[in-house]
Amino acid sequence: MADIISPLPGIFYRKPGPDKEPYVNEGDPVVAGQTIGVVEIMKQFTEVRSDVAGTLARFSVEDAGTVNPGDVIATVDEG
């Protein structure tokens, strides 16, 4: 298991826009470098990417949830 950590404080979004599909859902395969969501702070959006390949096991933050630097956003089951 590998945790995906928030790089900065802000609001975490799982989708690129309100009427768009999520970047990834729990149970979906992910590849290293894949975007799983974005963190917004003062209208600036920073992509959050997985460092490892595997299956997205779970999100630890709800969509539109507040995050701080170092918070676990999601967990990937490697392999």
Side-chain angles (χ1 to χ4, degrees):
M1 295 281 208
D3 291 332
I4 300 172
I5 306 296
S6 178
L8 48 112
I11 306 297
F12 176 70
Y13 295 103
R14 295 183 188 176
K15 302 185 281 188
D19 57 346
K20 305 287 186 189
E21 290 294 314
Y23 288 101
V24 65
N25 291 301
E26 292 176 349
D28 287 351
V30 294
V31 296
Q34 180 176 342
T35 300
I36 64 141
V38 294
V39 174
E40 183 263 329
I41 182 168
M42 298 182 66
K43 305 295 182 202
Q44 300 269 343
F45 292 87
T46 301
E47 291 184 344
V48 176
R49 299 173 189 261
S50 177
D51 291 331
V52 298
T55 302
L56 186 74
R58 70 179 176 281
F59 280 102
S60 300
V61 178
E62 292 299 317
D63 188 38
T66 303
V67 293
N68 290 300
D71 285 356
V72 175
I73 290 178
T75 302
V76 175
D77 185 7
E78 298 177 77

